[in-house]
Amino acid sequence: MVDILDKAMRSHDLDKCEIVRLLSIDDGVQQEVLFKAADETRQQYLGTDVHLRGLIEFSNYCMNDCMYCGIRRGNRTLERYRIQPDEVIKVAAQAYRLGYRTIVLQSGEDGYYTGDVMCYIIRGIKEAADVAITLSIGERSYDDYKRMKEAGADRYLMRFETSNRELYKKLHPRMDFDNRIQCLKDIKSLGYELGSGFLVGLPGQTVEDIADDILLLKELGADMVGIGPFIPHPDTPLRSCNSGSLDMVLKAVAVLRLIMPDINIPATTAVGTSDPFGRQKALKAGANVIMPNVTPLEYRQLYQLYPGKICIGENPQDCRICVEGLIRSVGRTVGTGYGGHNG
Ligand code: 5AD
Ligand code: FES
């Protein structure tokens, strides 16, 4: 293993076989060596800053039916909400006042927010606050992506969820893997910073699949990568499946840091949900970003992609204070700039 780590730290290049070997480490001591190598790489390329993103979950309507997701259209028990455009702008301005310099606008795939409506929100936020804007609203037309970029959006997050086509098909009825990858390429070519990622522990997923996921992120030239454990939601078809392993997520984060040394990698909310110290562990295994929730309290419990999601009862101010403490507890500093991949 040490030879693979040496190679990774020198060349930031590993083949599938080598990645599988690192992901297959099951010895606790060896895992720590892997995490340490990733942590050193993060320190060397990015220093101690942890960048914060204020996440606004502005609509839980979704026209898709992803088998794992709590807000899938097939979940008829869920009460749906939409935060109106002017209120989204207000929430973003509040997040700016709490110190956030990146706002992430996330929703289900909701046609109510047309390209025009999104451009209105983006322009409004840019007028009200000096922030970078990240969109996370799913698959759209090339024209929408282009217009939203022109309106001022800076970055775009959309996970491909799994690079295994068969598995993708089973989990995403009526969706098309190739279209999703095309969207990601379009987003990148339009000049957005591109965020993507995948789920760990999907039923039927293998360690080879995860190695392929990592290699696909490198091929796409992702600027930021979110990796989270699958957590079964009781109101979805996958309710009785097992959760993804936190250790596997941490190993994937570490390998990714080794081969993409300067990208942004969040310690995801799902990682914080699967283990009370999950985010701290991720920050020590290569991660350098946290995305605290700034969604108004009354909507939070309605945006449960998975059960047990942390911060459901906290308001934006609580989360801000909490994560600053968390960051300091692992010897890191809170980033003050936009914290993009390119500055
Ligand atoms: N468990 C973990 N993560 C989930 N997501 C959706 N449903 C779940 C679940 N049950 C993730 C997907 C999506 C992101 C916004 O949330 O990866 O891209
Ligand atoms: Fe929300 Fe800790 S980040 S309570």
Side-chain angles (χ1 to χ4, degrees):
M1 180 202 63
V2 178
D3 48 320
I4 303 179
L5 285 183
D6 273 350
K7 178 182 170 195
M9 290 183 81
R10 251 182 304 112
S11 67
H12 305 300
D13 192 28
L14 294 177
D15 63 27
K16 182 169 171 183
C17 210
E18 292 164 329
I19 294 175
V20 168
R21 274 196 49 205
L22 292 181
L23 295 175
S24 304
I25 295 174
D26 53 12
D27 172 85
V29 176
Q30 292 206 346
Q31 259 188 44
E32 284 308 317
V33 175
L34 168 64
F35 298 160
K36 196 99 208 287
D39 200 43
E40 275 173 30
T41 304
R42 185 268 312 151
Q43 178 63 31
Q44 186 188 337
Y45 280 81
L46 301 166
T48 57
D49 271 0
V50 175
H51 300 292
L52 298 183
R53 324 296 195 197
L55 174 66
I56 308 177
E57 299 153 333
F58 65 90
S59 161
N60 70 351
Y61 281 81
C62 192
M63 61 180 173
N64 287 331
D65 226 2
C66 307
M67 303 296 263
Y68 44 80
C69 183
I71 67 166
R72 65 200 302 268
R73 76 188 290 176
N75 181 4
R76 308 270 174 228
T77 61
L78 182 65
E79 182 191 329
R80 304 283 170 167
Y81 71 89
R82 289 187 173 114
I83 304 182
Q84 291 307 307
D86 287 319
E87 195 184 342
V88 177
I89 296 168
K90 230 185 276 166
V91 173
Q94 279 159 7
Y96 172 69
R97 286 194 292 275
L98 278 176
Y100 293 102
R101 293 299 172 263
T102 297
I103 301 298
V104 181
L105 300 176
Q106 188 174 87
S107 68
E109 290 202 9
D110 183 359
Y112 176 89
Y113 301 84
T114 59
D116 280 340
V117 173
M118 287 311 302
C119 288
Y120 173 85
I121 294 173
I122 293 161
R123 286 199 191 92
I125 293 176
K126 287 279 175 167
E127 271 167 34
D130 176 21
V131 291
I133 296 180
T134 303
L135 302 176
S136 181
I137 59 174
E139 294 177 29
R140 294 270 173 152
S141 66
Y142 183 86
D143 188 54
D144 273 5
Y145 288 140
K146 185 160 184 284
R147 289 168 53 220
M148 295 188 294
K149 182 77 183 59
E150 285 162 3
D154 302 280
R155 311 178 190 146
Y156 206 101
L157 293 180
M158 186 164 68
R159 295 182 179 173
F160 53 72
E161 316 294 1
T162 175
S163 61
N164 176 328
R165 287 168 177 277
E166 303 270 294
L167 186 56
Y168 187 90
K169 217 180 158 95
K170 279 194 212 147
L171 296 173
H172 304 95
R174 292 184 302 283
M175 290 176 75
D176 177 32
F177 181 76
D178 290 316
N179 188 59
R180 199 161 186 87
I181 298 300
Q182 189 57 50
C183 285
L184 292 171
K185 289 180 177 165
D186 289 345
I187 289 164
K188 179 91 184 168
S189 76
L190 284 164
Y192 287 92
E193 282 194 23
L194 177 67
S196 193
F198 59 90
L199 286 167
V200 164
L202 290 166
Q205 186 186 44
T206 65
V207 61
E208 283 78 17
D209 290 336
I210 297 175
D212 283 333
D213 293 339
I214 291 172
L215 288 169
L216 177 56
L217 289 160
K218 184 133 187 170
E219 187 186 322
L220 289 168
D223 300 285
M224 38 202 184
V225 172
I227 304 174
F230 158 66
I231 302 173
H233 190 295
D235 301 321
T236 65
L238 302 187
R239 62 181 68 85
S240 47
C241 296
N242 292 325
S243 291
S245 133
L246 176 63
D247 278 349
M248 184 57 84
V249 173
L250 296 175
K251 285 185 278 184
V253 164
V255 171
L256 200 70
R257 173 57 71 207
L258 290 172
I259 65 170
M260 300 182 81
D262 68 349
I263 61 166
N264 282 318
I265 305 180
T268 58
T269 306
V271 157
T273 298
S274 80
D275 177 321
F277 289 99
R279 288 179 296 179
Q280 290 86 329
K281 291 177 185 173
L283 287 178
K284 292 200 241 177
N288 72 319
V289 169
I290 296 188
M291 299 169 63
N293 206 316
V294 296
T295 309
L297 205 52
E298 65 260 44
Y299 303 115
R300 284 192 191 197
Q301 87 261 25
L302 299 174
Y303 202 87
Q304 296 215 49
L305 309 177
Y306 44 82
K309 200 167 150 224
I310 52 173
C311 309
I312 293 292
E314 279 75 19
N315 65 36
Q317 174 104 41
D318 298 331
C319 286
R320 177 80 201 189
I321 294 166
C322 169
V323 290
E324 288 192 9
L326 187 163
I327 290 165
R328 277 194 278 273
S329 78
V330 291
R332 305 278 277 280
T333 49
V334 177
T336 51
Y338 299 119
H341 184 200
N342 309 309

